[in-house]
Amino acid sequence: MYPLALRLAGRRVLVVGGGAVATRRMPALLAAGAVVDLVAPELTPALRAHADAGRLRWIPRRFQPDDVDGAWLVQTAVDDPAAAAQVSVAAQERRVFCVRADDRTAATAWTPAVTRQGPVTVAVLGGTPRRAVAVRDAITDLLERKGAAAGGPRSTGDRVGAAGVAGRVALVGAGPGDPELITVRGRRLLAEADVVVVDRLIPGLLLDELRPEVELVDASKIPYGPARAQEEINRILVDRALAGAWVVRLKGGDPYVFGRGGEELLACAAAGVPVTVVPGVSSAIAGPAAAGIPVTHRGVAHEFTVLSGHLAPDDAASLVDWPALARLRGTLVILMGLRNLAAIAAVLQAHGRPPGTPAAVIQEATTGEQRVVRSTLAAVAVDTAAAAIRPPALVVVGDVVEVSDALRETLARGR
Ligand code: SAH
């Protein structure tokens, strides 16, 4: 085997077969920018969707040898060895490399098992496919643990600093609490970071994996009022990045859901620091889900509204239209609402939400400390206090809370 990488952008690739193998191979070919012609009498729904969207050209018939003409590469994705051999022969005669799904040893080209780590692709070839995948998985694990794949500032002299930049900031959503609920990209960037700035609500286990030399800044310990503290956080992000560091600003849930992510993004941009946002799984959706409550359910709720309850409903600074919310029939998810829960429940009832509307409070969702109180709008404040629920917790109001009983039983049976 002679390893080689192909630039397929704008080049014609012929795929023969419209089943499961072609479905699996297609995304990588399309991502490489290949101009794909797909010859097959029938297509899977996923391939059909690519064809309908114009991402490939479907030739709806059986293969003919001259289909290979003008192709740079052929991928056979048919089960029948005789049909595959026919494609292979046609490719051979025209000196076009041909990958065979049915029999790798008979092919003139192999597709490796790959892992993509940012800009780096690792390809594993040889042995049985199972062995190649096992080696690939081991390499993936290693790279994700070491964070070495992107050629981080540690590995080379490309750390610039002092306004020459090369530093950067990523605002990363850490998810709702369970350390496994960060995104793949978030986890990779975390592994590459030189500086990590965290809040109170960050899953502690994620920090366990940081290399010892990483500087960890606990933003919740900054000893000023909230406004000054935010300025201080912005300053730390900008200063470290301008000094050449790769900074991850790790935020609970999603950075843009009551997370002040926008302010931090603007501060970085204003200072000329490259900044990206990596979305996170928000507690607003994952929190209810962890308690078996779907935020929407067919025939029950066609909308869900996420709001902050940190200001009392009668606070002049509140931006929430409580009477309008009270008229909605769908699901309400209230973050930061524990302290004002009695007033919130009262104002919703006063403007028409029935007192018997199901409600639930979920504390520390998706963690080992998760607790759930089920109640009604009329009783939820009293029940929550009686159960000594403490932050972080969120409140769900709506008929979906009742759906959860059936869902929980089903989930329990599946365990
Ligand atoms: N950006 C975060 C929300 C920040 S506001 C996100 O997208 O999830 C902080 C509030 O979120 C908390 O006061 C609480 O209401 C809610 N919250 C965050 N994590 C939670 C969890 N694990 N369980 C319950 N509520 C949570």
Side-chain angles (χ1 to χ4, degrees), residues 175-178 200-201 251-260 280-285 287 334-338 362-367 370 391-395:
D178 180 337
R200 224 166 355 101
L201 289 182
K251 306 176 77 72
D254 181 274
Y256 282 165
V257 178
F258 306 126
R260 309 193 69 161
V281 175
S282 178
S283 67
I285 297 171
I334 306 163
L335 304 190
M336 299 182 280
L338 272 196
I362 305 142
Q363 172 186 318
E364 289 172 89
T366 77
T367 75
Q370 174 172 316
L394 53 82
V395 184

Side-chain angles (χ1 to χ4, degrees), residues 307-309 311-313 318 320-327 344 347-348 351:
L307 60 139
S308 166
L311 293 179
S318 173
V320 177
D321 184 343
W322 291 98
L325 281 185
R327 280 195 302 275
I344 289 169
V347 76
L348 290 174
H351 289 95

Side-chain angles (χ1 to χ4, degrees), residues 16-35:
V16 182
V21 174
T23 305
R24 275 210 332 263
R25 289 289 162 80
M26 197 56 70
L29 288 171
L30 295 177
V35 178

Side-chain angles (χ1 to χ4, degrees), residues 59-393:
I59 304 165
R61 57 162 170 72
R62 305 193 74 78
F63 170 79
Q64 300 164 1
D66 60 12
D67 288 335
V68 176
D69 291 341
W72 289 70
L73 180 71
V74 177
Q75 163 85 54
T76 47
V78 292
D79 298 328
D80 172 17
Q86 190 202 358
V87 179
S88 207
V89 167
Q92 176 92 18
E93 284 170 2
R94 291 163 178 80
R95 303 191 176 205
V96 178
F97 281 108
C98 177
V99 182
R100 273 179 77 162
D102 64 310
D103 181 355
R104 296 155 69 95
T105 52
T108 50
W110 282 29
T111 48
V114 299
T115 174
R116 295 172 206 273
Q117 307 276 322
V120 173
T121 297
V122 180
V124 179
L125 285 160
T128 62
R130 188 183 293 260
R131 173 95 181 108
V133 165
V135 171
R136 188 270 317 269
D137 289 346
I139 293 171
T140 307
D141 273 2
L142 207 69
L143 292 176
E144 278 174 0
R145 240 179 298 134
K146 293 235 171 83
R154 288 157 303 289
S155 60
T156 61
D158 65 355
R159 190 185 219 117
V160 178
V165 193
R168 60 179 197 190
V169 173
L171 308 178
V172 175
D178 180 337
E180 295 208 318
L181 291 177
I182 191 171
T183 64
V184 172
R185 184 184 296 169
R187 191 149 185 245
R188 176 171 61 75
L189 290 173
L190 194 59
E192 292 168 7
D194 302 303
V195 179
V196 177
V197 184
V198 297
D199 287 322
R200 224 166 355 101
L201 289 182
I202 295 307
L205 279 178
L206 284 176
L207 307 179
D208 254 24
E209 299 175 8
L210 298 179
R211 289 168 290 111
E213 65 271 24
V214 171
E215 181 193 2
L216 188 64
V217 180
D218 185 343
S220 68
K221 298 256 164 65
I222 291 173
Y224 307 116
R228 265 303 301 284
Q230 186 62 53
E231 276 173 34
E232 183 65 11
I233 294 167
N234 295 352
R235 194 186 60 76
I236 292 170
L237 299 179
V238 166
D239 284 1
R240 298 295 193 280
L242 289 179
W246 288 11
V247 183
V248 164
R249 169 67 169 125
L250 199 56
K251 306 176 77 72
D254 181 274
Y256 282 165
V257 178
F258 306 126
R260 309 193 69 161
E263 292 164 60
E264 293 173 5
L265 183 99
L266 290 173
C268 292
V273 169
V275 55
T276 55
V277 179
V278 181
V281 175
S282 178
S283 67
I285 297 171
I293 302 169
V295 290
T296 71
H297 194 69
R298 193 164 63 89
V300 177
H302 288 177
E303 89 238 355
F304 63 98
T305 307
V306 179
L307 60 139
S308 166
H310 76 288
L311 293 179
D314 62 0
D315 192 311
S318 173
L319 298 176
V320 177
D321 184 343
W322 291 98
L325 281 185
R327 280 195 302 275
L328 298 177
R329 270 181 305 193
T331 308
L332 298 180
V333 181
I334 306 163
L335 304 190
M336 299 182 280
L338 272 196
R339 198 159 43 86
N340 295 316
L341 186 52
I344 289 169
V347 76
L348 290 174
Q349 292 172 83
H351 289 95
R353 196 91 197 217
T357 306
V361 180
I362 305 142
Q363 172 186 318
E364 289 172 89
T366 77
T367 75
E369 308 294 307
Q370 174 172 316
R371 292 174 63 208
V372 182
V373 171
R374 278 154 208 284
S375 183
T376 60
L377 189 55
V380 68
V382 169
D383 290 349
T384 301
I389 291 289
R390 51 185 162 74

